[in-house]
Amino acid sequence: MRRVSMATRNELVAAVAERYARSSRPERGRILDEFVAVTGHHRKHAMRLLRGSGAGPPARRGRRDRVYDAAMREALIVLWEASDRVCGKRLRPLLPVLVEVMERHGHLQLAPEVRVGVLAMSAATIDRQLREVRTADGGTPRRRTPPSAALRRSVPVRTFSDWGDPAPGFFEADLVWHSGPTARGSYVQTLVLTDIASGWTECAPLLVRQQVLVTEVLNEVRRVLPFPLLGFDTDNDTAFLNETVRDYCAAAGVAFTRCRPYRKNDQAHVEQKNGAVVRRIVGYRRFEGLEAAAALADLYRSVRLFVNFFQPSFKLAEKSRDGAVVRKRYHAPATPYQRLLEDPRVTEEIKAHLRRMASSLDPVRLLRDIRTAQQRLVEIADRTGTGEQAAPTQPTLEEFLKGLRTAWREGEVRPTAQPKPKAKRERRRPDPLVQVTAQLHDWFCASPWLTARELLARLQAELPDSYPEALLRTLQRRLKQWRGDAARQLVFGAGSEARARSDGEATGAPVAATGVADEATGMAG
């Protein structure tokens, strides 16, 4: 056990070391005995300290040379933006594919040493390199009639542990509401389907919540799926659990199952995609009407290809419990496309079709189309008037690719993730000075040096018992705005007249003349 502090020990070494070096052998033995008794060190360690080999604080290690330079970091930022900002663990297995695809389409030209350095980065290194560029980022719904007991008995229950290792084609399904802050009225919903084996995800908008529409949308999803739909597992929502959907699945040869009521863990695969895909891409705004549904459908056409071919995801390999501790082990991150190619249960015909699809896809073009569709959705959701608005301008691929280099500086780039701008607060009560605003403004123009109290006193003298002292603060705000209009017109000239007029219309005040601005300036001087 240490008997003295490190600072005290260093002081003892500094005081004794010189005398220890000049002493004879018997004298050094006595000095060493005293030093060991005081410090409690081992005798050999004390000898090294007094000889100078271990004295003083340890030398600071030199800084290692930088392995990844600025060019590699810049290339990594572009690839990270092109992957829609996935984490390092998901980006690491995607880098070889993404670099090859972007080079094939002419979006990226890396020097050999830069290419080798980027592909050699580990997941932890990727996160460290991207640390500085990451962003610092109503009513109660109506209770619907539950399905009948006979219908519930006709649809088997499947829990999370019952899945095992199914072949590709068994999907979990769920609905995501786009109701915004309130669930009143009719709004668009998204039908989400996630394959258990590969993680392949399909999204489709529902204009209204109707069981017949669910089967029609399911028909469209089956048409674009690269492999057959074998199983359809849903929650106990009445949009799914009804005779229409049950009979449709029976006629199509699709196994129809349901989870346990109020057990979302039974549908963990699709619940994860609700947040990681739909909410991340679409956001939380309210969408209603045919135009919003069409815009969502246009967005999902690009999202399905980008997510399934260029977005690696984790898949649970093993889960164990030791008391209160739950340990999970995952497979290496891979895209749904890669998992389908590696699955021996997928036919060679389907794999060839998937390879043809992948060879024609450009992730940068898909991401640009996603951003444009997101901007269109935001404009539809935030629209306040009824007039037609121009469609958002779509940048060229060269402009979009150039923007990926500096997009991280702007923070959150997804239009659907940015908050809705707050509307300017307007007057909520009738204007108490509406009858005399023009007269007060004329007095101000004639004598701009008058204060609000003097104007109010003059008004009370002409109209007694009509305008109490409580209106002083209202008149002070009005006077402040008139003086600001006059000063702005003086500084910016006649070009500011339209802006001053718009400000004056907000309060019902006329625009100050140029001569008044001169008088206001003289008053200020």
Side-chain angles (χ1 to χ4, degrees), residues 455-502:
L455 288 175
L456 182 59
R458 185 173 177 180
L459 185 63
Q460 290 173 338
E462 292 195 5
L463 300 171
D465 302 329
S466 298
Y467 297 95
E469 289 289 333
L471 294 178
L472 177 61
R473 182 61 184 141
T474 301
L475 186 55
Q476 287 175 340
R477 288 194 293 266
R478 194 70 51 85
L479 187 61
K480 179 179 179 181
Q481 181 177 356
W482 292 343
R483 286 174 176 166
D485 293 342
R488 182 169 58 250
Q489 188 174 3
L490 176 67
V491 173
F492 297 102
S496 66
E497 183 178 355
R499 292 192 297 272
R501 181 178 293 109
S502 64

Side-chain angles (χ1 to χ4, degrees), residues 7 71 111 166 177 182 188 243 432 457 465 470 485 508 517 522:
W177 296 7
T182 175
V188 180
E243 290 85 353
D465 302 329
D485 293 342

Side-chain angles (χ1 to χ4, degrees), residues 16 26 58 79 95-96 127 134 164 174 182 217 219 244 266 286 292 313 327 426 502 509:
V16 177
L79 292 167
L95 282 179
D127 287 331
R134 293 185 188 275
D174 197 11
T182 175
V217 171
N219 255 336
T244 303
D266 287 349
R286 182 181 180 91
S313 59
R327 293 183 176 85
E426 304 292 344
S502 64

Side-chain angles (χ1 to χ4, degrees), residues 8-169:
T8 304
R9 189 210 70 172
N10 292 337
E11 292 175 357
L12 286 173
V13 171
V16 177
E18 186 178 356
R19 184 163 62 92
Y20 180 83
R22 295 198 308 266
S23 301
S24 61
R25 183 180 182 89
E27 185 65 22
R28 284 201 301 268
R30 287 192 294 269
I31 295 174
L32 191 60
D33 293 338
E34 295 175 0
F35 187 79
V36 170
V38 173
T39 61
H41 289 325
H42 191 276
R43 194 174 184 85
K44 287 294 184 182
H45 181 56
M47 292 170 61
R48 298 188 190 98
L49 289 176
L50 294 177
R51 284 200 298 263
S53 60
R60 182 171 296 180
R61 294 170 57 184
R63 191 171 184 177
R64 293 190 305 174
D65 295 336
R66 186 179 295 275
V67 178
Y68 303 105
D69 55 17
M72 298 178 188
R73 182 173 178 271
E74 184 177 352
L76 180 65
I77 291 175
V78 175
L79 292 167
W80 174 65
E81 291 284 0
S83 69
D84 200 15
R85 301 184 175 186
V86 299
C87 67
K89 290 185 178 180
R90 297 173 61 198
L91 181 60
R92 175 65 189 88
L94 179 64
L95 282 179
V97 178
L98 199 57
V99 169
E100 190 273 330
V101 172
M102 293 182 68
E103 287 181 343
R104 178 170 12 113
H105 288 276
H107 301 318
L108 198 65
Q109 295 295 330
L110 298 179
E113 60 274 11
V114 175
R115 194 178 197 274
V116 171
V118 170
L119 296 180
M121 291 185 184
S122 65
T125 301
I126 291 173
D127 287 331
R128 283 195 298 270
Q129 293 289 328
L130 298 175
R131 183 181 302 162
E132 295 181 3
V133 305
R134 293 185 188 275
T135 55
D137 197 50
T140 304
R142 179 171 59 90
R143 183 179 178 87
R144 295 175 173 85
T145 304
S148 64
L151 179 62
R152 291 198 302 271
R153 286 194 299 268
S154 66
V155 181
V157 173
R158 187 190 297 272
T159 66
F160 178 81
S161 58
D162 293 337
W163 278 118
D165 186 20

